Amino acid sequence: MDGEKKTYGGCEGPDALYVKLILSDGHEFIVKKERALTSGTIKAMLSGPGQFAEKEADEVHFREIPSHVPSKVYALCMCFMYKVRYTNSSTEIPEFPVVPEIALELLMAANFLDC
Amino acid sequence: MASFPPRVNEKEIVRSRTIGELLAPAAPFDKKCGRENWTVAFAPDGSYFAWSQGHRTVKLVPWSQCLQNFLLHGTKNVTNSSSLRLPRQNSDGGQKNKPREHIIDCGDIVWSLAFGSSVPEKQSRCVNIEWHRFRFGQDQLLLATGLNNGRIKIWDVYTGKLLLNLVDHTEVVRDLTFAPDGSLILVSASRDKTLRVWDLKDDGNMMKVLRGHQNWVYSCAFSPDSSMLCSVGASKAVFLWNMDKYTMIRKLEGHHHDVVACDFSPDGALLATASYDTRVYIWDPHNGDILMEFGHLFPPPTPIFAGGANDRWVRSVSFSHDGLHVASLADDKMVRFWRIDEDYPVQVAPLSNGLCCAFSTDGSVLAAGTHDGSVYFWATPRQVPSLQHLCRMSVRRVMPTQEVQELPIPSKLLEFLSYRI
């Protein structure tokens, strides 16, 4: 119907579709859980022994990544989109260009995130 | 004598999927030498595939049509030289742009092939010459063929016509390669122990002779940024040349027998060489270190055995487009696909009398040519590369190892960037 607002699933509970990533200065990103799990680091953070049973929301804190460094945030997003997009693709794996100017920063971020 | 390291169970190695075959036609005089298929090549834009069919001819097929044929008609495809079996063409005038099959009669046994296409902005190295016989335009695709008598013939791929005849080598031209920067600089490697550098934009003027080999030169390859050339040859020779000044940078030592094939990785950070000593080595071309060894005979042969007839000569090696996989052809009737971080193959395929191999331009298919003039195709193992690897390639395309070592990054990342993991 027109005028109906779209509602999204939340970050709460074990079936949460989304997960919240919190950077060191408090900025929050909400990302689809399936995409976030492509990062080995985030996967470990979400399922590690530090998980409390009564924890409501799936949150991951990145104390090292400040939001004012756009390349690192950019790297986070790239990691998620890239792997999910191409892992189960039965078609040709297309080119994924990485601009040389940011390649080094992206490498460090990708190494941290293990993706 | 085993083909794989003892800890590997041969039955667990995946067999590659066959895509198709192009079989040479039977000819009345097939007892004579000259049937061999010494080179296969793909055009840089993926539009054509060429192979030296034997009997002094080269066959050029439009690659996408060829792939379609394989999918439609099954894998066997006997090419009949008398009928140019083109698929039905549209009558709406699209014929001019549709690539056509050609069979080129070169007049002599063909030993090497290379495709070249020009980038108009790349100036020829000669000074201020206005009048050229050939103006190579933007959509011109050239095929260079190296012959038994030392001549090199340059053909136009779209029309099949002969454009240039380069005469200088006195012996078999064993390998040809164009500079990847579109400048139409051609390098030829010959059994006369030299390599020659030709400028095709200057009507094929020979610019330089590279001397240094003591024996036959088997193969040569440009680095992707066209700054370095690797040449390999008999008597264990592996040389690296600076292609701005045409001086020798260094010799890479390590093989025990003739070195017959070489190929750079797409980011120029790795060099693969194949030798009759049963091994493929992966080198860092910037400092000459050996990073990986891919063995084809186990236990590894002693230097004396490796330096002689050991029935396990490696004939060809090729780097894949993704910079992660390498294919090798050896005399034990197997094609091997390797990952650069494992020392045993991830896939194998059976092939008798294989002589040469090349990956397609997009890296999805490996073509291998055999002694009887046929070509076989397999699907390459595909894998989504990690984002770290893509970043590594992007960085290494512009940075040699020495600069990498100076970067202010953690040592583990330094090792990763230098391909030492």
Side-chain angles (χ1 to χ4, degrees):
Chain A
M1 286 285 284
D2 309 358
E4 243 187 44
K5 272 177 74 169
K6 241 183 150 182
T7 50
Y8 295 89
C11 296
E12 333 260 297
D15 300 329
L17 273 180
Y18 292 87
V19 87
K20 204 187 279 190
L21 309 177
I22 305 176
L23 301 187
S24 68
D25 55 356
H27 265 84
E28 295 177 352
F29 287 86
I30 298 183
V31 184
K32 259 202 173 153
K33 195 168 186 177
E34 164 200 53
R35 299 214 177 110
L37 287 178
T38 60
S39 157
T41 312
I42 292 182
K43 195 170 181 181
M45 284 172 163
L46 284 174
S47 60
Q51 188 83 347
F52 297 120
E54 60 265 33
K55 194 160 190 196
E56 290 287 325
D58 272 321
E59 291 177 353
V60 180
H61 290 258
F62 285 107
R63 293 179 215 288
E64 308 83 9
I65 303 184
S67 68
H68 70 263
V69 182
S71 58
K72 298 227 185 332
V73 176
Y74 178 63
L76 271 175
C77 306
M78 287 268 263
C79 286
F80 303 148
M81 291 311 304
Y82 171 67
K83 257 272 168 84
V84 170
R85 200 162 160 200
Y86 299 133
T87 295
N88 295 322
S89 163
S90 56
T91 57
E92 285 297 318
I93 301 178
E95 292 281 341
F96 193 83
V98 174
V99 178
E101 287 83 11
I102 57 139
L104 202 49
E105 286 263 14
L106 191 52
L107 171 62
M108 292 195 273
N111 182 257
F112 170 71
L113 290 168
D114 184 27
C115 66
Chain B
M1 289 290 186
S3 296
F4 301 98
R7 67 180 200 279
V8 171
N9 182 350
E10 189 174 336
K11 299 199 189 355
E12 285 174 5
I13 300 189
V14 176
R15 294 297 185 271
S16 305
R17 180 169 66 90
T18 309
I19 292 206
E21 302 163 353
L22 289 171
L23 300 174
F29 41 86
D30 57 356
K31 290 290 186 300
K32 250 202 225 172
C33 158
R35 270 208 95 178
E36 301 89 3
N37 177 2
W38 289 105
T39 326
V40 290
F42 286 91
D45 60 353
S47 58
Y48 268 96
F49 173 71
W51 83 101
S52 52
Q53 207 177 10
H55 307 297
R56 295 135 205 254
T57 57
V58 170
K59 179 117 191 216
L60 279 164
V61 294
W63 176 235
S64 46
Q65 286 170 21
C66 187
L67 259 186
Q68 267 182 355
N69 278 345
F70 288 145
L71 293 171
L72 291 175
H73 303 289
T75 55
K76 281 206 199 315
N77 194 346
V78 181
T79 60
N80 194 337
S81 55
S82 60
S83 76
L84 282 177
R85 200 161 38 91
L86 297 165
R88 246 174 297 128
Q89 284 177 332
N90 302 331
S91 52
D92 63 352
Q95 293 193 14
K96 223 199 248 183
N97 300 328
K98 245 198 160 122
R100 307 188 62 211
E101 260 184 28
H102 294 291
I103 294 194
I104 298 178
D105 183 356
C106 298
D108 200 357
I109 300 177
V110 179
W111 284 86
S112 48
L113 292 173
F115 279 97
S117 56
S118 95
V119 170
E121 306 88 63
K122 277 280 171 178
Q123 293 303 321
S124 129
R125 307 244 176 150
C126 68
V127 177
N128 203 16
I129 293 194
E130 279 300 311
W131 182 80
H132 280 127
R133 216 169 126 221
F134 296 106
R135 286 192 181 283
F136 292 114
Q138 201 155 5
D139 55 355
Q140 193 149 19
L141 189 57
L142 306 178
L143 179 70
T145 52
L147 307 178
N148 201 43
N149 56 10
R151 284 169 196 242
I152 301 171
K153 293 192 177 168
I154 312 288
W155 310 81
D156 179 323
V157 170
Y158 294 130
T159 59
K161 293 209 171 81
L162 175 64
L163 296 176
L164 282 174
N165 202 341
L166 308 177
V167 183
D168 213 55
H169 280 296
T170 51
E171 286 251 25
V172 169
V173 177
R174 189 64 182 81
D175 200 12
L176 287 169
T177 182
F178 277 93
D181 60 1
S183 57
L184 287 187
I185 301 285
L186 175 68
V187 174
S188 54
S190 166
R191 282 186 185 170
D192 66 6
K193 311 178 198 170
T194 64
L195 295 117
R196 278 161 216 267
V197 186
W198 313 80
D199 185 348
L200 291 195
K201 285 198 179 178
D202 186 21
D203 290 339
N205 177 31
M206 190 191 72
M207 295 159 40
K208 197 77 182 142
V209 179
L210 300 177
R211 293 186 203 276
H213 281 272
Q214 302 295 313
N215 209 328
W216 290 1
V217 188
Y218 272 95
S219 183
C220 54
F222 264 100
S223 65
D225 63 359
S226 302
S227 66
M228 273 199 285
L229 180 85
C230 173
S231 67
V232 296
S235 311
K236 319 175 188 174
V238 181
F239 296 152
L240 281 175
W241 307 83
N242 175 321
M243 291 311 270
D244 295 318
K245 307 188 205 119
Y246 301 116
T247 52
M248 192 190 296
I249 301 175
R250 64 171 58 84
K251 302 187 189 185
L252 299 179
E253 321 229 305
H255 279 297
H256 298 292
H257 203 333
D258 297 355
V259 188
V260 300
C262 59
D263 199 16
F264 277 91
S265 63
D267 58 355
L270 300 174
L271 172 68
T273 55
S275 165
Y276 287 166
D277 70 1
T278 79
R279 290 181 186 89
V280 164
Y281 280 142
I282 307 288
W283 314 76
D284 181 332
H286 302 282
N287 56 21
D289 293 344
I290 296 182
L291 299 174
M292 288 286 303
E293 177 184 320
F294 294 151
H296 296 70
L297 182 60
F298 292 90
T302 55
I304 290 187
F305 192 46
N310 49 44
D311 285 332
R312 211 53 82 84
W313 289 357
V314 186
R315 299 273 177 178
S316 188
V317 73
S318 189
F319 244 107
S320 165
H321 185 69
D322 64 4
L324 277 177
H325 293 96
V326 169
S328 68
L329 264 189
D331 280 351
D332 62 347
K333 304 192 195 310
M334 265 199 274
V335 177
R336 291 165 168 79
F337 290 97
W338 311 78
R339 275 180 56 99
I340 54 174
D341 49 10
E342 300 272 14
D343 65 350
Y344 60 90
V346 293
Q347 274 190 19
V348 294
L351 180 72
S352 301
N353 301 315
L355 290 176
C356 55
C357 64
F359 278 99
S360 64
T361 319
D362 62 358
S364 57
V365 172
L366 180 78
T370 60
H371 191 80
D372 64 354
S374 307
V375 189
Y376 297 85
F377 300 89
W378 296 272
T380 57
R382 297 316 289 285
Q383 180 178 18
V384 179
S386 68
L387 191 52
Q388 290 178 69
H389 175 65
L390 291 183
C391 296
R392 168 168 63 182
M393 286 218 290
S394 178
V395 170
R396 289 310 306 268
R397 275 199 171 96
V398 298
M399 213 184 270
T401 314
Q402 290 83 355
E403 274 181 46
V404 166
Q405 302 290 338
E406 308 282 315
L407 289 173
I409 56 179
S411 61
K412 280 208 88 181
L413 269 184
L414 266 182
E415 282 178 17
F416 178 77
L417 259 186
S418 317
Y419 285 95
R420 266 160 181 74
I421 292 190

